[in-house]
Amino acid sequence: MTTGQFAFASNTNRFLACPPLSDQPFAIVGVPYDGVVTNRPGARFGPQAVRAASLMLCDGIHPVFDVSPLDHLGDALDMRLPNASPLPDVRRAIEAQAAALMAKHHCVFLGGDHSITLSLLRAAKSLYGSGEPLACVHFDAHCDTWSDHFGEPSGHGTWTYEALQEGLISAEHTVQIGIRSSGERAAREYVSDRGGQIFTARSLRGLDGSGLAPVFAAIRERIGHRPVYLTLDIDVLDPAFAPGTGTPEPGGLTSSQVLSCLEELAGLNWVGMDCVEVAPAYDHAELTGHAAATFVWTYLCAQVFRRQRQGV
Ligand code: MN
Ligand code: MN
């Protein structure tokens, strides 16, 4: 260790205390919008909570991948958004900024409520889709396939339905993990009814380690080498692990289960990630921020490792 380097530095709120974004291959981008939630608001403060929690990760060297993202990562800080405008205007603003960043960097977006993912998928599909819908891995307690938001056209629980309708993602190559909330069957099983796969939280109870191997094999076989987008709603975790979120659903995944997924699926052809719905006002001991920061860090390390293996 160089003299003068210390473990903790609270004088920056960039992810992992990385530099400001310039020409690094990987970018952290905050999307502080929470205008269309069903229950408790507050996810607009998610990006800063996740960045603050990430400072605990110090040099960021990952024990599985033996790399740190720090030399490859810049923080773009938060998007400037027209928060009081109608959702379509907000979505256009998110898409334009995301497209500009994704054209130059492999991006990880920190939400924000889950409605932001539709804009991020619009940008990702035009950059990475080659005219074809993307594959999608979706961690969530909620299916987010409702066709309307309690009578309004869109909310944070409609983006998967909208993305499938728009052809941004392919149902056959969509995998949902952790689904467990209340809701009508047509929404709950919308993805599997169209050829996709759903691993409900109930079906994953008690599974960890080698018990999850068949899940990973099924996901790898289904997605293959297609460009795939990762969206991680932090409420996929049990509220014991992530109380700081707007619509908590008891009976969720453990942090270990999600980390196993991220580590074991590291070799997929990931094109981007978001981690959404962290609402720090409801958090305790920064549990939720730390969980989200650890998931984002794990994803970044896996991608740095993959690039180094491929010699790019
Ligand atoms: Mn969601
Ligand atoms: Mn959710």
Side-chain angles (χ1 to χ4, degrees), residues 114 138-144 156 233-236 245 247 249 276-277:
H114 218 158
H138 171 202
F139 288 89
D140 208 323
H142 308 95
C143 54
D144 290 357
H156 70 157
D233 184 330
I234 202 68
D235 69 30
V236 71
T245 194
T247 43
E249 303 280 357
V276 298
E277 302 282 357

Side-chain angles (χ1 to χ4, degrees), residues 88-101:
D89 296 335
V90 177
R91 280 182 157 164
R92 271 191 291 277
I94 295 171
E95 183 186 349
Q97 292 174 74
L101 288 160

Side-chain angles (χ1 to χ4, degrees), residues 51-74:
R51 289 185 178 106
S54 78
L55 298 180
M56 193 205 65
L57 295 163
C58 298
D59 60 16
I61 300 171
H62 195 282
V64 171
F65 303 107
D66 200 27
V67 295
S68 170
L70 263 176
D71 289 341
H72 314 272
L73 181 67

